[in-house]
Amino acid sequence: MTTPFTWILEALAFPPGNVLLLGVVALFFRGGKRRLVFAAAFVLLYLQSAPATVDALTAPLERYPPLSLDHLPAADAIVVLASGRYRRAPEY
């Protein structure tokens, strides 16, 4: 069973939580180091959302080209994949 503490750690480990955590850490610095850490956080946040970075990071994961609509068989159902989690679903 997972706890809210593990959910928080999971949220802070992955983008954009990791960059936001870096911004919070910057609050504990003084002077020029604070500005440098804030600037690094903003640059990382931009790089994580830039299309060129996203394309470069996801390209190795996409091995196969998309299917042509001419070669698809007829279907009786549509499956919609979602990324959310419903932890207490009755079907599980």
Side-chain angles (χ1 to χ4, degrees):
M1 175 181 269
T2 59
T3 63
F5 182 70
T6 58
W7 294 344
I8 292 170
L9 286 178
E10 183 179 306
L12 291 176
F14 297 108
N18 55 2
V19 176
L20 296 175
L21 183 64
L22 182 64
V24 170
V25 168
L27 295 174
F28 294 105
F29 289 111
R30 295 191 184 267
K33 286 189 178 186
R34 176 182 283 182
R35 283 188 225 133
L36 180 66
V37 175
F38 269 130
F42 282 122
V43 167
L44 286 173
L45 193 61
Y46 173 74
L47 287 176
Q48 287 178 357
S49 63
T53 307
V54 173
D55 290 341
L57 291 175
T58 57
L61 301 174
E62 299 170 349
R63 295 183 191 172
Y64 306 107
L67 296 175
S68 170
L69 292 177
D70 299 332
H71 294 43
L72 290 178
D76 294 333
I78 297 174
V79 177
V80 179
L81 302 176
S83 64
R85 287 188 269 179
Y86 181 48
R87 297 185 188 277
R88 294 197 170 94
E91 60 267 17
Y92 294 120

